[in-house]
Amino acid sequence: LTVTLYNKVMGERYDIGQRICDAIREVYSWARKDIQTDVKICHQVADLPLQRRRISDEEKQWCEDNIRQMQAQIPDPDQSTPEEYRVALSRYNSVKGRNERAIGRYEVQDEQPTVPVHTHVVRIGQIAFATTRFELYMDYMHRVQARSPFMQTFVIQLAGDEGGSYLPTEKGKQNKGYSASLFCNVIGPEGGQQWVENVLQTLNEMAD
């Protein structure tokens, strides 16, 4: 069984390696005929103030209720097994932490309506790169790529040490799509579109 599994895994890895090798050879066959030694390189860094994903009064109240409900479910340690008590306490701490973080964001959102988001935009010839700390709904990447003045534009997600979270579109938020919840979204759809427009403005300035 071990030998069979080893052969299967190594066979899959060999296949992946062969495909990568073939792709490199194919591209190199024509890329070597167009080697460029004098390309324009630009790099801009900005802390973009993007609009927060606001938390409503009702959502804040719901978070407080969640904490109370989970606290009420913690059994008396003298009337439960150590395992039952440990599991209930672990669940409570998890719920308490995520809800308290949301409540904390609610408490500062009026004084701090935006979040500075560190962004790099780079041009190398006719190729461009833009970074974001978030895990984007793919719509945002497509919006940048469709309007970019460059031949190819790459969006690098989850870049930086600020901590990432999901960034949903308006449609994703309305339909309660995957990870489009108040716990997962520091920045909302408005902030996502602000990021798109700022990146495109920088790309167009670099192209000029």
Side-chain angles (χ1 to χ4, degrees):
L1 178 60
T2 302
V3 173
T4 301
L5 180 60
Y6 174 82
N7 289 336
K8 180 177 184 298
V9 171
M10 292 308 296
E12 291 174 349
R13 291 180 178 176
Y14 179 82
D15 183 55
I16 293 171
Q18 189 63 50
R19 294 185 186 192
I20 294 173
C21 184
D22 291 343
I24 292 174
R25 285 174 175 165
E26 179 187 354
V27 173
Y28 181 68
S29 67
W30 55 262
R32 65 182 179 179
K33 301 173 184 177
D34 188 29
I35 296 175
Q36 300 181 29
T37 59
D38 184 20
V39 296
K40 180 170 286 190
I41 298 177
C42 305
H43 177 206
Q44 289 194 28
V45 185
D47 287 315
L48 305 177
L50 304 184
Q51 187 171 331
R52 285 183 179 272
R53 193 277 196 205
R54 291 188 62 84
I55 297 174
S56 66
D57 295 340
E58 293 76 15
E59 288 173 327
K60 184 245 189 181
Q61 182 63 53
W62 182 70
C63 290
E64 293 173 341
D65 293 342
N66 282 342
I67 295 174
R68 284 192 291 268
Q69 290 171 7
M70 289 301 296
Q71 188 173 22
Q73 294 178 23
I74 300 176
D76 187 334
D78 297 328
Q79 298 180 4
S80 61
T81 67
E83 180 64 13
E84 289 172 340
Y85 181 74
R86 183 194 67 78
V87 170
L89 189 61
S90 177
R91 288 174 177 169
Y92 166 71
N93 286 331
S94 177
V95 170
K96 179 173 179 285
R98 72 187 313 214
N99 281 274
E100 282 186 341
R101 287 191 292 273
I103 293 169
R105 286 165 40 212
Y106 170 87
E107 292 172 346
V108 302
Q109 64 187 11
D110 288 332
E111 295 180 2
Q112 303 172 20
T114 62
V115 176
V117 176
H118 203 60
T119 302
H120 291 258
V121 181
V122 179
R123 171 191 177 179
I124 304 176
Q126 285 303 309
I127 297 175
F129 302 84
T131 71
T132 175
R133 61 183 272 195
F134 302 107
E135 185 168 347
L136 302 175
Y137 273 42
M138 299 304 286
D139 281 21
Y140 293 114
M141 181 188 72
H142 294 154
R143 292 173 194 177
V144 170
Q145 292 175 331
R147 296 167 56 193
S148 172
F150 294 100
M151 185 180 298
Q152 194 164 12
T153 303
F154 297 90
V155 174
I156 314 300
Q157 304 183 55
L158 297 174
D161 56 3
E162 306 147 290
S165 64
Y166 293 97
L167 207 171
T169 58
E170 185 63 38
K171 184 183 293 186
K173 179 182 174 182
Q174 290 177 355
N175 295 335
K176 299 181 180 180
Y178 175 71
S179 294
S181 75
L182 64 95
F183 300 117
C184 303
N185 309 144
V186 175
I187 301 297
E190 299 85 356
Q193 189 59 34
Q194 289 173 344
W195 176 82
V196 168
E197 299 301 333
N198 275 280
V199 167
L200 285 169
Q201 179 180 344
T202 303
L203 290 172
N204 283 309
E205 290 172 355
M206 288 181 172
D208 293 338

